[in-house]
Amino acid sequence: MALRPLHDRVIVKRLDNERKTASGIVIPESAAEKPDQGEVVAVGPGKRADNGELSPLGVKAGDKVLFGKYAGQSVKVDGEEVLVIREDEILAVIE
């Protein structure tokens, strides 16, 4: 992927949600909610503090993260849809 995020931005690829309920009902793609979990593909160098120092990000490429439903900006790169979000929009790292 030819994207390099700037500052405190993170590139996240959404993980697919289960399209079947526990009782076996298949949910069509048009009715399914957007997943709120993803895998970090790339991270920016970090945020600059007021004194000019660079503070590194708390996530790294390969981390699985949880983010808000309406977080970030969807972008299509090489035919693949990814999210560009700020680090502070990431709610948690899934371990």
Side-chain angles (χ1 to χ4, degrees):
M1 184 171 295
L3 273 183
R4 183 176 51 96
L6 301 175
H7 308 293
D8 64 337
R9 303 282 198 299
V10 178
I11 309 271
V12 176
K13 180 180 173 187
R14 287 186 192 263
L15 296 177
D16 289 332
N17 270 354
E18 190 72 32
R19 290 202 181 8
K20 202 183 261 191
T21 64
S23 60
I25 299 173
V26 177
I27 301 171
E29 190 171 322
S30 60
E33 291 185 13
K34 289 184 177 180
D36 56 359
Q37 296 180 19
E39 183 177 349
V40 176
V41 177
V43 296
K47 192 171 189 175
R48 289 238 178 247
D50 292 336
N51 62 3
E53 289 185 24
L54 193 66
S55 62
L57 300 181
V59 295
K60 61 187 179 306
D63 283 349
K64 293 197 187 326
V65 294
L66 184 67
F67 50 87
K69 192 175 287 193
Y70 302 107
Q73 177 69 42
S74 274
V75 178
K76 213 169 210 181
V77 178
D78 298 333
E80 190 174 346
E81 189 173 324
V82 293
L83 277 175
V84 179
I85 62 176
R86 288 182 173 272
E87 183 194 27
D88 60 0
E89 291 180 303
I90 296 174
L91 304 174
V93 175
I94 301 169
E95 294 182 349

